[in-house]
Amino acid sequence: MLDYAQARRLMVDCQLRTFDVNDVAVLDAFDTVSRERFVPHGREDFAYIDQALRLGPQRVMPAPMLLARLIQALAAGPGQRFLDVGAGYGYGAAILGSLGAKGVALEPDPALAAGARERLADRPGVTVMEAPLDSGAADAGPFDAILVNGRVEVRPQTLLDLLSDGGRLACVMGRDRAAKATLFVRAGAAFGSRPLFDATLPALPEFTAEAGFAF
């Protein structure tokens, strides 16, 4: 049987630290949260491989390295509210909760949402909401940090509008191999953005480009 605690430590040391994840709180969170609890049943032994794990059609649990870099860029912490978009079984929300933030895990798939509620039951600061991804859990906002677990092909304006002043949104944006991990920051009514590194994830249908759209 796989020693999950050892696998978690190897993930932190050999995947995250070597991919410019250097925030001590983020590293501690990834070392503390049991990733194997948040994968489909029967796939626990694959939880710590350095690639995304499929959760359903066009839906994956991001690879540890990618997720850690996105969460590090969000700089979420105590006293802040987060929105985890496309939460799956809630791993990203659990990590953000371990950083001291409170918020919403947004998941439209009923089976995934039910699984997230089960897995996040011991985290009172995290609420699972079953609703369309582009709704953004508007009634629960504004949010200081928004994590998008999937690729967006167009600017996710409905989510950006839910950011507080100074709030951050981290996602993978673009088409196919041109996609990049991207950080948006709100300043009043304006939104700045900057690419972080090359990355890819399956596209989220709610944020795909229309036919003929050139990114």
Side-chain angles (χ1 to χ4, degrees), residues 110-130:
L112 291 176
R117 290 190 187 95
E118 175 188 346
R119 291 161 171 82
L120 294 169
D122 59 345
R123 296 182 180 272
V126 181
T127 301
V128 178
M129 183 175 294
E130 186 179 325

Side-chain angles (χ1 to χ4, degrees), residues 155-166:
R155 183 185 177 97
Q157 193 62 48
T158 57
L159 300 180
L160 292 172
D161 288 340
L162 297 176
L163 287 174
S164 60
D165 192 12

Side-chain angles (χ1 to χ4, degrees), residues 50-132:
D50 60 347
Q51 58 186 273
L53 291 178
R54 185 157 296 280
L55 301 177
Q58 295 183 303
R59 295 295 301 283
V60 299
M61 180 181 187
M65 292 188 297
L66 172 56
L67 185 62
R69 285 286 297 275
L70 292 176
I71 289 178
Q72 179 173 259
L74 286 174
Q80 296 194 326
R81 285 191 57 76
F82 72 82
L83 175 64
D84 186 20
V85 179
Y89 288 126
Y91 180 63
I95 295 290
L96 289 164
S98 292
L99 293 171
K102 298 181 179 181
V104 175
L106 180 64
E107 177 50 57
D109 183 276
L112 291 176
R117 290 190 187 95
E118 175 188 346
R119 291 161 171 82
L120 294 169
D122 59 345
R123 296 182 180 272
V126 181
T127 301
V128 178
M129 183 175 294
E130 186 179 325

